[in-house]
Amino acid sequence: MKLFQYGLLLFFAFSIISCKDNSPEKKEDVYHHNETKKLNLDKILKINEYIFKSSESGCFFTTSYDDGTVYDPEHGNDLGNLVTFLIPKNFNFFKKHSKYINKDDYEKLEKYVNKLSIEELKKAFDIYVLLVDKKYLVATPGYDSAYKFTDNYQTDVYQYRNNAWEKIESFIVDSDEKHTKETEWRYDFIENKTKETQIAFFDSISKLKIDDSWYRDYILLLDSYEPNYNYTYYIKISKDSVYIAERALKDLLVPFQNEDTLFLYHKKNLLTGSKYIENKQIPEVKIVKVKDKYYVTSEVFDLKNSISTKPAKYGFLNYEMK
């Protein structure tokens, strides 16, 4: 089990089960809804602060206490025990707001998010609230936790969409076995939702055209490995495919043009390994066109330590084959 899963096990005391699409368990335990449940969930969005969390498929924010936002009518939560997740709608959210990130320190970014208004949160994030209704809570005076769950309870998942809070799933916990699977479901739920954002991003940019001038070979000579022996960093961009030629992985780069800059996003392996886990090291390649010259940089491949000459203002000048 990965560190993030352990963190979720400790971070959340209640959650929901997830099962495979075709499994009997899912048909029995998880219920999908098309109804709109008229709850005022807006009022709980700003009760607790949000903290940064990461998963295999991306990053998000969630309420900061172990039990999320606990049932506390005196302080604004008269609904039940709940946990809120904010998943950025823009896949490049963390790159766009990188000025708030100092290495692995996200405190400034958390402060930025926590200052956003409710309407700003709705605009920037897909918001999910996992709620155990107050009717499933039993008072426990004298204990650290003021309430505990009844033996059988239900967790409802609400999403803010179409300008309303919609109940999209429910899960009934009626046994110890199901109770132990709750955090596993929550982990899969977040993985699936962050993955959906990634897929939607690539689906959108893969349909965009780039100028014909970008279709060419890009070559950088790597001369810092061994004396008198040159390697090449070779990118081939054509109308049919985009790939780094020295790798076994072909057609895994998706081009996106922004005026005189071309970004190459690593599609299938985007979030594999620590370099991709926080969405900070994308795109893999950036190419800047200045007049008739092309300059290449890569945040993933360590070009600065692989090329003896210093880069120009826009990156390393593309080597033109004669």
Side-chain angles (χ1 to χ4, degrees), residues 78-290:
D78 59 356
L79 300 176
N81 278 15
L82 54 90
V83 179
T84 306
F85 293 97
L86 308 177
I87 299 177
K89 293 180 180 180
N90 184 347
F91 186 73
N92 282 325
F93 175 89
F94 292 94
K95 193 167 189 68
K96 180 180 178 182
H97 296 89
S98 60
K99 63 181 179 180
Y100 296 110
I101 302 172
N102 182 19
K103 294 184 179 180
D104 294 326
D105 182 3
Y106 294 88
E107 185 176 351
K108 290 183 179 179
L109 184 59
E110 290 170 348
K111 289 182 179 179
Y112 165 78
V113 170
N114 284 307
K115 287 182 180 178
L116 297 177
S117 67
I118 291 175
E119 291 306 314
E120 288 171 329
L121 290 176
K122 290 178 178 178
K123 185 176 180 181
F125 299 98
D126 287 325
I127 306 177
Y128 300 92
V129 177
L130 283 70
L131 170 67
V132 176
D133 191 276
K134 60 185 177 182
K135 66 184 179 181
Y136 299 112
L137 301 178
V138 178
T140 54
Y143 287 81
D144 292 339
S145 178
Y147 296 90
K148 69 174 184 178
F149 297 148
T150 57
D151 291 338
N152 299 336
Y153 63 90
Q154 176 174 308
T155 304
D156 298 318
V157 184
Y158 293 88
Q159 179 183 3
Y160 185 81
R161 61 185 183 186
N162 303 321
N163 297 317
W165 287 101
E166 299 181 15
K167 184 162 67 173
I168 59 174
E169 287 186 14
S170 293
F171 182 80
I172 296 174
V173 176
D174 56 9
S175 69
D176 291 340
E177 180 183 1
K178 291 179 182 179
H179 179 77
T180 59
K181 292 182 179 178
E182 288 181 331
T183 302
E184 179 184 343
W185 183 94
R186 187 182 298 275
Y187 174 80
D188 290 340
F189 181 83
I190 296 304
E191 283 293 300
N192 291 336
K193 293 305 178 183
T194 51
K195 192 70 174 179
E196 286 174 9
T197 303
Q198 175 185 340
I199 292 171
F201 172 75
F202 283 119
D203 285 347
S204 66
I205 68 171
S206 63
K207 296 179 176 66
L208 301 177
K209 294 182 178 180
I210 63 175
D211 295 341
D212 290 347
S213 60
W214 296 107
Y215 296 130
R216 59 180 59 231
D217 295 342
Y218 300 86
I219 298 174
L220 299 178
L221 300 181
L222 311 179
D223 56 6
S224 294
Y225 288 110
E226 298 177 11
N228 303 319
Y229 193 92
N230 290 336
Y231 295 85
T232 58
Y233 184 69
Y234 177 23
I235 304 165
K236 187 173 185 64
I237 301 179
S238 68
K239 291 186 178 181
D240 299 323
S241 61
V242 181
Y243 61 90
I244 298 176
E246 292 292 320
R247 299 183 183 178
L249 307 175
K250 286 192 174 184
D251 302 327
L252 297 186
L253 297 178
V254 180
F256 173 70
Q257 180 181 344
N258 182 10
E259 298 180 347
D260 290 330
T261 302
L262 189 71
F263 300 97
L264 304 183
Y265 289 90
H266 201 281
K267 188 173 183 180
K268 293 183 180 178
N269 283 9
L270 178 68
L271 297 171
T272 301
S274 59
K275 287 187 177 180
Y276 298 99
I277 196 73
E278 293 167 358
N279 292 355
K280 294 190 299 181
Q281 300 295 336
I282 60 171
E284 173 149 338
V285 179
K286 181 174 74 173
I287 304 174
V288 179
K289 179 170 58 177
V290 181

